[in-house]
Amino acid sequence: MIKKVLTISVLLGTMTLSLAQTIPQINEVTSGVLSREFNGIYRGENLNRIAFPIGGIGAGMFCLEGTGAISHVSLRHHPDVMNEPYAFAAIYVKGFESGAKVLEGQVPTWKLFGPVQSGLGRGDKPYGLPRFEEATFQARFPFATVNLRDKDFPLQAKIIGWSPFIPTDPDNSSLPVGILEYQFTNLSDEVLETVFSYNTKNFIDGQGTIQGVKNGFVLESNQNDSGLAIYVDNDEAVVDYCWFRGGWFDSQTVVWDNIRCGRIVNNQPVKEVAPGASVYVPVALQPGETKTVRVNFCWYFPDSNLSIGFARKAGKAYIGSPSKGTAPNQQSVSGFAGKQLLNSFDKGGDGLVGIIQSPEFNIEKRYLKFLVGGGNQPDRTSVNLVIDGKIVQTAAGNQSEILNEVVWDLKLFQGKKAILKVIDLDVYPWGHILADQFVLTNDENENLYDLSSTATVLADFEDNNWKDWLVIDSSEEEKQFLVNEEDTETTYRPWYSKRFKNLNEVIGYWDANHATLKKNSKLFSDAFYDSTLPDEVLEAIAANLTILKSPTVLRQWDGRFWAWEGCQDSWGSCHGSCTHVWNYAQALPHLFPSLERTLRETEFRVAQNAKGHQNFRVNMPISPPPHNFHAAADGQLGGIMKVYREWRISGNTQWMKDLFPAVKKSLDYCIRTWDPLQKGYLEEPHHNTYDIEFWGPDGMCTSFYLGALTAFVEMSKALKQSTKKYDILLAKGKKYMENTLFDGEYFIQKIQWEGLQAPNPVDVISFGGGYSDEAMKLLKKEGPKYQYGSGCLSDGILGMWMASVCGLNEVLNNEKVKSHLVSVHKYNLKDNLVDHFNPQRPAYACGKEGGLLLCTWPKGGMLSLPFVYSNEVWTGIEYQVASHLMMKGEVAKGLDIVRECRKRYDGRVRNPFDEIECGHWYARAMASYGMLQGLTGVRYDAVCKTMYIDSKIGDFRSFISTETGFGTIEWKHGKPSLNVVYGIIDVKHYNVSGKTMN
């Protein structure tokens, strides 16, 4: 019998896809437990947590779950991880008992009881509808396939979900579209009459209407021509634009009754709010025949309320009543007394501004004590003591949501009248102030949390209002800080809002181009998986490419790339394309080099001031940020190496030349700030990716220093600039690292806090908060909080990995670098964490799971308060260590680390396509892309048109992506071969293990 294949497509706003998939073989059973092969099929309990992102770069997403459901619908420029709408596809087969099923596998049991409000029965979800008994899931990024089977059902169903992903083509990879293709095969000997339907509640906007689009419907928003179109490409489609309107579960009941009875309903659009809509497609199947229905999802939401660090007022602070603690979208607030406090972030965030002041009081006691936190700008976010109209004392926060004690000695002001004036005149990050428990006392050691009977309370903010505190007019003070030009973008607008005028234009472009975009996306997928590299490596790399489809990344209206570090459930986590986190991410510069270059341009042209200080977080919309905190040593020095990398990847020497003056200014700032005596290593306290400052030289950040110096020297030579000063520093630093910071086995830190230009650690701004009495004792005994000293740090030679992935030589002794990495594998990799203590964030890895610890102290010397996060496991660090080990020929050890990581992300407990670290889809995890180079040494240099190969695994075939094209590269029997499947890659020479060949 000849099988017919017909594509009908359900358009998710993207293009048609037709994938030939093989039925997966059953995996081995080990000790009675079904195992899962890396890069293979997910089934059974491994389907539990799967959520595979579908959408465009910076355009929003939804996820295809392991069962075939959709969830995590995040279309409006912020994460919405818990958004699982009442939406489902269904199939009806005429003449069969129980002939209607939702096109999904069984609901994971964790969803039924445990999530918020699940005790009410989950009537807000379609969990109670019949569905297929068995499901399997396989990812071939950007495609994912769900196979559905049921022993009593005459159809086999398959779902293929995808959206365009074409390296070197960022615009088509940034479209606000996604697709689910539903493929049906008749397993019976009879002709089957079926009805496919896609059904959804009106979940975009509770007050929006549902309108028509060809072969589908649009869930409209009330905002500016916004909405989500769901439509099929089959002209036999019939649309029900308005579900039955009623109370309780009326709509859901009637919709399922229509489906199970095979009714095709064609209610027309209504002017009022409609509860939901369905699109029906009749499908007749001959015995053995296969047909596909493609559902397209296209969306258009041109506006947002996202504004971070931009001088834009959102309203007045101190309106209403005191805060009960942590406000929405605020980090956890702690350290206040009682149940309430003054919190100018509450009811609006950093965009609120205002001034509040106390009534006048008599200074009749020696001390004024209180608690303060929040921003650290005395002129913008502070508590002030005002006497005779003049500010005589000021206290600000410490860039922390932890309130710390402040003591003012009022000896000079006895008998005078005073007021307290709390100001918030800042709208940038940390543009808020926290304060509580203002107390007059004669006891300098008065306990603010347990007051004596002699203390006088000026304010504790425990009432329902501000009592006699007064919110005063701050308009004049605000003017000097708030500039709001009419022609300035004040909130984020997505790139697609400039490319397309409305939703119809998105749909029109998609309909005209989806076939080509599917073809080119398939070229990428086929090339990536046409590889002989280990399965665990391919799985780890591909799984983290989903980050580029997640809400972690954004593209503003002018096309520039901007990103969070990761995603909280409903808001981005840690804003501003954080330089020290995005150091690790190696996928974007190779797959979409033009987007990566916009990050460098932002860092050096927008985030850097005239002195060379670079803010490691940039505003959104992209605009100059404040320079009110430390630069990040690893972030700023890493950026210099990345300028070199982008130059070699692009081959654009003019681009590098134009940026070079800013790069020089940046490096000179780093030298002045952290190596003022020009010793060749970072000695002064330097902020880094652990959100603290290292005091004294350490292997991690000094290796960054040497890498940046190497990059700068190479760029200087190309531009015929003098390098003498930097050569000397490089030589000094190399010698110090190898002779002083290497303990014979690995690189360490020499803690130093005395004899520096920096003030006492107690007086240095830090996220770690202030020094309590207990912390002061530790300072005298061990030095500043949050160091690593003699520890074996997994990131301890990170700068040399950065140098390698950026195409630079590692200047340090190779054997010592290798020794450090082998030590990290030996001491920090655990296959079981049952007996490991982690008082920090254990959800990343704990219990019987394994992972690579950030730091251990195998030779003793662990500090009482080592750097925060030291006991944790971060996937991005696991991958950078693994790929660096591979570069040194320690492939087996590198694979050990990768396997432990991916075993944690097998779908049972964690989503295999969402590696977490301070949020979902955490950018650092794209360090996994570096394993391509780690195993093969493959790197293309567009400046000299040379392909580098340095295989650590013998013969291989692997994916390669460049500025101008992608394909596969093979090394076999001593000969290289390049197969370009998209674009061009102009190779004049091969450099194999250091030897050049034409």
Side-chain angles (χ1 to χ4, degrees):
M1 181 184 301
I2 298 177
K3 274 193 176 184
K4 299 179 182 178
V5 178
L6 173 66
T7 296
I8 305 179
S9 304
V10 184
L11 301 178
L12 265 178
T14 260
M15 59 198 204
T16 306
L17 175 65
S18 219
L19 285 178
Q21 299 285 344
T22 57
I23 301 298
Q25 296 182 354
I26 299 297
N27 293 324
E28 297 177 358
V29 176
T30 306
S31 303
V33 178
L34 197 64
S35 67
R36 188 192 69 83
E37 297 175 355
F38 291 118
N39 203 34
I41 307 296
Y42 297 85
R43 52 168 53 86
E45 65 178 359
N46 296 107
L47 298 173
N48 284 353
R49 296 285 177 171
I50 288 176
F52 182 88
I54 295 173
I57 298 173
M61 71 158 194
F62 63 89
C63 288
L64 176 64
E65 294 197 342
T67 60
I70 68 166
S71 64
H72 298 67
V73 179
S74 306
L75 307 181
R76 305 180 92 159
H77 322 302
H78 64 85
D80 204 351
V81 172
M82 300 303 172
N83 185 7
E84 182 183 355
Y86 195 100
F88 62 94
I91 189 74
Y92 160 79
V93 181
K94 184 178 180 180
F96 281 80
E97 186 177 357
S98 302
K101 291 185 183 295
V102 172
L103 286 161
E104 298 173 20
Q106 295 298 300
V107 179
T109 55
W110 69 266
K111 290 187 175 186
L112 300 179
F113 187 78
V116 175
Q117 299 296 328
S118 57
L120 296 177
R122 305 266 62 179
D124 59 332
K125 307 296 179 187
Y127 299 162
L129 304 180
R131 56 199 62 224
F132 285 75
E133 291 179 339
E134 299 177 10
T136 64
F137 182 97
Q138 184 175 34
R140 286 296 178 261
F141 184 84
F143 304 99
T145 300
V146 178
N147 280 292
L148 301 170
R149 296 195 68 138
D150 194 310
K151 63 179 182 295
D152 296 325
F153 206 65
L155 289 179
Q156 177 179 327
K158 177 186 292 187
I159 309 167
I160 301 171
W162 66 284
S163 52
F165 191 90
I166 307 162
T168 77
D169 186 354
D171 288 355
N172 280 318
S173 301
S174 301
L175 295 174
V177 298
I179 300 155
L180 297 179
E181 297 184 351
Y182 293 86
Q183 187 180 102
F184 305 101
T185 299
N186 184 351
L187 302 178
S188 75
D189 295 327
E190 302 176 4
V191 176
L192 296 179
E193 295 182 28
T194 76
V195 178
F196 168 86
S197 62
Y198 197 88
N199 315 272
T200 179
K201 280 189 175 181
N202 188 355
F203 67 87
I204 289 297
D205 190 325
Q207 299 303 312
T209 60
I210 299 179
Q211 298 301 319
V213 68
K214 184 179 179 182
N215 300 327
F217 51 86
V218 177
L219 305 181
E220 290 193 333
S221 167
N222 284 331
Q223 295 181 342
N224 193 19
D225 193 28
S226 301
L228 166 67
I230 302 176
Y231 64 97
V232 300
D233 62 348
N234 187 289
D235 290 339
E236 294 184 37
V238 177
V239 182
D240 175 5
Y241 292 100
C242 184
W243 285 0
F244 183 92
R245 286 171 284 184
W248 294 90
F249 309 111
D250 295 357
S251 296
Q252 296 158 219
T253 301
V254 172
V255 166
W256 184 252
D257 196 57
N258 291 335
I259 292 170
R260 73 182 184 88
C261 295
R263 301 190 194 103
I264 295 178
V265 181
N266 64 346
N267 291 320
Q268 294 305 298
V270 296
K271 294 181 180 180
E272 301 82 16
V273 176
S278 300
V279 56
Y280 299 91
V281 179
V283 180
L285 289 166
Q286 298 295 320
E289 186 178 18
T290 296
K291 290 183 179 181
T292 300
V293 177
R294 188 182 72 228
V295 180
N296 302 277
F297 298 73
C298 295
W299 56 90
Y300 189 79
F301 296 96
D303 302 317
S304 82
N305 63 356
L306 175 59
S307 177
I308 298 176
F310 196 80
R312 182 177 68 96
K313 285 202 304 181
K316 290 290 184 182
Y318 315 120
I319 299 299
S321 58
S323 172
K324 296 186 181 300
T326 305
N329 300 320
Q330 185 176 25
Q331 297 178 40
S332 179
V333 174
S334 63
F336 56 99
K339 297 181 178 180
Q340 296 186 157
L341 76 157
L342 183 155
N343 178 358
S344 71
F345 189 95
D346 208 351
K347 301 177 180 66
D350 284 323
L352 302 180
V353 291
I355 298 175
I356 190 170
Q357 68 182 37
S358 73
E360 191 173 61
F361 60 91
N362 294 320
I363 299 178
E364 297 176 340
K365 294 187 177 180
R366 176 69 182 269
Y367 301 103
L368 175 61
K369 298 190 70 172
F370 58 96
L371 302 168
V372 69
N376 71 323
Q377 299 183 83
D379 60 338
R380 301 191 189 191
T381 53
S382 60
V383 176
N384 301 275
L385 182 66
V386 181
I387 298 175
D388 296 331
K390 294 182 180 180
I391 295 175
V392 297
Q393 292 278 15
T394 296
N398 207 19
Q399 301 280 77
S400 169
E401 307 292 25
I402 303 171
L403 283 79
N404 293 295
E405 184 179 284
V406 172
V407 183
W408 284 340
D409 189 340
L410 305 182
K411 181 179 179 180
L412 298 178
F413 310 117
Q414 293 299 301
K416 290 184 176 291
K417 295 184 181 295
I419 62 170
L420 289 166
K421 190 175 184 179
V422 184
I423 67 170
D424 176 358
L425 299 175
D426 193 35
V427 292
Y428 292 98
W430 292 105
H432 63 277
I433 186 75
L434 313 174
D436 194 24
Q437 203 74 340
F438 289 94
V439 174
L440 287 171
T441 178
N442 286 319
D443 181 2
E444 185 178 7
N445 297 314
E446 181 80 44
N447 185 346
L448 291 178
Y449 303 95
D450 186 14
L451 297 176
S452 68
S453 60
T454 60
T456 300
V457 178
L458 297 178
D460 60 10
F461 306 112
E462 293 299 309
D463 293 289
N464 293 328
N465 53 53
W466 294 111
K467 295 187 71 175
D468 46 4
W469 281 58
L470 181 65
V471 179
I472 66 173
D473 181 20
S474 58
S475 56
E476 290 303 314
E477 289 91 341
E478 293 167 15
K479 288 179 182 178
Q480 62 180 311
F481 298 118
L482 305 177
V483 178
N484 211 357
E485 299 178 10
E486 292 183 0
D487 60 347
T488 300
E489 294 282 343
T490 58
T491 56
Y492 169 75
R493 285 197 297 118
W495 165 84
Y496 67 72
S497 69
K498 184 177 180 182
R499 172 74 179 270
F500 304 105
K501 295 179 181 178
N502 51 47
L503 178 59
N504 286 334
E505 284 197 2
V506 175
I507 294 170
Y509 183 83
W510 174 245
D511 288 348
N513 294 281
H514 66 78
T516 299
L517 298 182
K518 177 180 178 180
K519 171 188 172 185
N520 292 340
S521 298
K522 185 69 162 51
L523 287 175
F524 160 68
S525 183
D526 289 348
F528 180 84
Y529 289 98
D530 183 18
S531 173
T532 60
L533 302 188
D535 283 333
E536 55 267 45
V537 169
L538 293 177
E539 176 180 290
I541 296 170
N544 287 302
L545 293 184
T546 63
I547 294 167
L548 296 177
K549 289 181 173 290
S550 78
T552 293
V553 304
L554 297 170
R555 282 186 76 192
Q556 72 170 25
W557 65 273
D558 57 8
R560 283 184 287 177
F561 189 90
W562 186 95
W564 306 92
E565 293 180 22
C567 298
Q568 300 178 58
D569 288 350
S570 59
W571 193 254
S573 176
C574 306
H575 76 279
S577 311
C578 179
T579 56
H580 53 65
V581 168
W582 279 83
N583 271 340
Y584 295 76
Q586 299 303 313
L588 189 69
H590 293 282
L591 298 172
F592 302 100
S594 63
L595 294 184
E596 183 74 28
R597 287 197 298 277
T598 69
L599 288 175
R600 300 294 83 72
E601 291 159 6
T602 296
E603 290 162 12
F604 287 92
R605 290 177 176 157
V606 180
Q608 184 170 298
N609 67 11
K611 295 179 180 179
H613 175 283
Q614 202 174 90
N615 195 320
F616 57 89
R617 300 191 189 280
V618 72
N619 299 339
M620 172 51 70
I622 296 172
S623 57
H627 293 269
N628 57 359
F629 192 66
H630 309 296
D634 48 354
Q636 189 154 342
L637 292 165
I640 294 170
M641 285 189 270
K642 290 185 286 187
V643 170
Y644 178 89
R645 179 188 65 191
E646 271 61 89
W647 168 41
R648 307 308 294 197
I649 287 176
S650 68
N652 189 338
T653 300
Q654 186 61 49
W655 177 84
M656 182 271 286
K657 183 179 180 180
D658 292 344
L659 217 53
F660 184 81
V663 173
K664 183 179 186 302
K665 187 174 290 186
S666 174
L667 181 56
D668 288 345
Y669 172 88
C670 296
I671 296 168
R672 289 196 314 272
T673 304
W674 300 309
D675 183 20
L677 302 181
Q678 300 194 22
K679 296 179 179 180
Y681 51 87
L682 305 191
E683 185 175 46
E684 296 289 327
H686 40 285
H687 191 75
N688 57 74
T689 196
Y690 304 122
D691 299 323
I692 47 81
E693 293 72 55
F694 285 147
W695 290 73
D698 66 281
M700 173 183 157
C701 291
T702 295
S703 68
F704 267 97
Y705 189 24
L706 302 185
L709 287 167
T710 304
F712 186 78
V713 166
E714 292 301 315
M715 289 185 285
S716 298
K717 289 178 179 177
L719 300 177
K720 298 182 170 29
Q721 301 287 317
S722 173
T723 64
K724 183 177 179 181
K725 168 186 172 182
Y726 307 98
D727 287 328
I728 293 171
L729 287 171
L730 187 56
K732 286 182 178 180
K734 172 180 166 65
K735 181 178 179 180
Y736 186 82
M737 278 279 289
E738 293 175 353
N739 296 337
T740 305
L741 292 184
F742 188 72
D743 78 343
E745 197 173 8
Y746 50 82
F747 292 92
I748 60 172
Q749 177 197 18
K750 295 289 186 181
I751 300 173
Q752 181 181 351
W753 61 284
E754 297 176 309
L756 301 176
Q757 294 184 8
N760 188 296
V762 176
D763 300 318
V764 173
I765 297 171
S766 176
F767 289 146
Y771 277 74
S772 63
D773 291 342
E774 301 95 314
M776 286 297 296
K777 293 177 182 178
L778 282 179
L779 173 64
K780 295 173 182 177
K781 180 182 177 181
E782 300 180 356
K785 294 189 294 184
Y786 313 137
Q787 310 303 297
Y788 71 94
S790 61
C792 180
L793 182 68
S794 291
D795 267 347
I797 199 67
L798 175 60
M800 289 298 95
W801 176 76
M802 279 294 297
S804 284
V805 295
C806 290
L808 292 158
N809 291 325
E810 296 185 25
V811 297
L812 291 177
N813 178 276
N814 185 68
E815 292 307 311
K816 292 184 176 181
V817 172
K818 181 177 179 179
S819 175
H820 178 94
L821 295 167
V822 170
S823 298
V824 169
H825 175 272
K826 176 181 178 181
Y827 297 124
N828 296 9
L829 181 63
K830 310 296 180 182
D831 60 7
N832 186 304
L833 295 170
V834 167
D835 294 323
H836 171 65
F837 70 92
N838 178 7
Q840 296 150 14
R841 297 176 296 184
Y844 304 154
C846 67
K848 294 182 180 180
E849 298 172 326
L852 187 76
L853 300 176
L854 267 62
C855 195
T856 60
W857 285 262
K859 302 174 185 179
M862 183 176 181
L863 302 163
S864 300
L865 289 175
F867 73 92
V868 288
Y869 318 134
S870 57
N871 289 310
E872 296 178 0
V873 173
W874 295 356
T875 68
I877 291 178
E878 289 179 302
Y879 293 136
Q880 74 86 1
V881 172
S883 57
H884 208 181
L885 278 165
M886 294 166 182
M887 291 174 183
K888 303 305 177 186
E890 297 286 352
V891 173
K893 291 180 173 62
L895 293 178
D896 286 344
I897 297 173
V898 180
R899 293 186 192 112
E900 287 299 337
C901 177
R902 288 307 297 174
K903 281 193 292 185
R904 298 196 306 272
Y905 285 89
D906 66 355
R908 293 175 302 140
V909 176
R910 298 177 185 81
N911 181 2
F913 309 100
D914 174 11
E915 293 188 3
I916 60 172
E917 181 210 321
C918 197
H920 301 277
W921 293 288
Y922 200 82
R924 199 188 315 264
M926 283 188 284
S928 58
Y929 196 90
M931 291 189 291
L932 291 179
Q933 183 179 340
L935 290 170
T936 68
V938 169
R939 175 176 60 84
Y940 177 67
D941 189 322
V943 175
C944 56
K945 302 189 185 306
T946 298
M947 185 72 75
Y948 288 83
I949 300 175
D950 187 11
S951 177
K952 306 301 179 184
I953 51 175
D955 290 353
F956 70 83
R957 184 171 60 256
S958 178
F959 176 73
I960 175 73
S961 182
T962 72
E963 171 82 13
T964 55
F966 63 81
T968 58
I969 185 165
E970 189 168 22
W971 175 252
K972 189 173 183 180
H973 304 319
K975 293 182 179 180
S977 61
L978 177 66
N979 177 30
V980 181
V981 299
Y982 184 87
I984 59 171
I985 305 177
D986 185 10
V987 178
K988 301 298 184 186
H989 310 282
Y990 284 90
N991 183 303
V992 181
S993 302
K995 296 181 180 179
T996 300
M997 56 188 295
N998 291 327

